Amino acid sequence: MYNSTVARLTYRALLGRRRALMLFALPALLLILAVMVRVLTGADDQIAARVLGGFALATMVPLIGVIAGTGAIGPEIDDGSIVYLLAKPVKRHTIILTKLIVAIGVTVVFSAVPTLLAGYILNGNSQQVASAYAAAAAVASVAYAALFLLFGTLSRHAVVFGLVYALVWEALFGSLVPGARTLSIQQWALALGHKLDPGNLMSSDVGATSGAVLLVVVTLGATFYAGQKLRGLTLAGEE
């Protein structure tokens, strides 16, 4: 269910000059912020948790997910080049799974790894803050990549929809409406990260079991529906 040619083309599209600049900018900003905070305040567990939770997990991870998830397939659909890929003897679900694997890999590398490094800079992983938030970023990366890849197959405005979900639903409504937080990938990831947090510096509105189940359901559901949508595009093109 993995095609190396599709993967190579997807990596090339995601790591091209323009997208690579955006992918590197957010982690660089996080690391610069971590250095500045450490110099100004010293090692503080509470401050480290606020920086990693407020910027890394709440802002950087979903934005990188938008870039990687939508960028894995959206531009090919927009410019029509997806037709050449669909003409190859490759199963449509294989195309989706390959692109998802690439999107997940890119999202994890550019979000979970910088989160871990920033945590070590902020407080040396005291109370396992860096490890817990990096783990939360990694599991969130999987669900974000799948969801935003689905958006890329559904609409030419996938980036807009992704930003609305990440910045309006999760960040704005999630901070104002308590019930909205239970339908948030960020909260589900925090629930799992909390299991690695002995200092109780992380909190979530859902339990760990519920968070894990919801992450799996969203990831599998989005992947399956994206495959079905891609198959529909093929049939429409053939007709």
Side-chain angles (χ1 to χ4, degrees):
M1 302 302 288
Y2 180 86
N3 186 280
S4 59
T5 301
V6 174
R8 185 171 63 254
L9 293 173
T10 306
Y11 275 118
R12 186 180 301 172
L14 287 179
L15 300 178
R17 182 178 303 175
R18 185 176 177 182
R19 289 187 181 275
L21 181 62
M22 293 187 289
L23 287 171
F24 277 105
L26 288 169
L29 181 59
L30 172 64
L31 295 176
I32 292 171
L33 178 63
V35 171
M36 293 177 61
V37 171
R38 178 60 185 267
V39 170
L40 294 174
T41 66
D44 186 293
D45 296 343
Q46 291 285 351
I47 292 177
R50 289 172 190 163
V51 172
L52 296 180
F55 181 79
L57 193 61
T59 303
M60 183 187 73
V61 178
L63 288 180
I64 290 178
V66 170
I67 296 170
T70 61
I73 195 169
E76 291 176 296
I77 293 178
D78 291 344
D79 62 20
S81 61
I82 190 68
V83 173
Y84 300 100
L85 181 58
L86 297 178
K88 305 296 182 181
V90 181
K91 293 182 179 179
R92 305 322 177 219
H93 282 287
T94 297
I95 294 174
I96 288 295
L97 284 175
T98 301
K99 288 182 173 294
L100 176 61
I101 291 170
V102 172
I104 290 173
V106 170
T107 307
V108 169
V109 168
F110 284 92
S111 60
V113 174
T115 299
L116 182 65
L117 294 176
Y120 272 95
I121 292 172
L122 287 164
N123 73 341
N125 199 30
S126 174
Q127 298 290 331
Q128 297 187 29
V129 170
S131 301
Y133 274 100
V139 296
S141 295
V142 177
Y144 281 130
L147 181 63
F148 297 140
L149 179 66
L150 171 61
F151 287 176
T153 66
L154 292 176
S155 172
R156 293 178 180 272
H157 306 291
V159 173
V160 175
F161 289 133
L163 292 175
V164 168
Y165 174 81
L167 301 180
V168 177
W169 177 260
E170 289 203 338
L172 181 59
F173 282 96
S175 63
L176 299 176
V177 184
R181 289 196 289 267
T182 61
L183 298 177
S184 164
I185 291 175
Q186 177 189 337
Q187 291 296 318
W188 305 339
L190 280 171
L192 297 184
H194 180 65
K195 304 296 288 186
L196 302 176
D197 173 30
N200 290 320
L201 296 170
M202 301 175 70
S203 62
S204 174
D205 285 15
V206 300
T209 301
S210 298
V213 170
L214 289 168
L215 285 169
V216 170
V217 168
V218 167
T219 301
L220 294 181
T223 303
F224 175 79
Y225 191 61
Q228 293 298 105
K229 178 63 177 178
L230 194 62
R231 180 180 296 178
L233 287 175
T234 306
L235 292 175
E238 292 172 349
E239 292 175 356

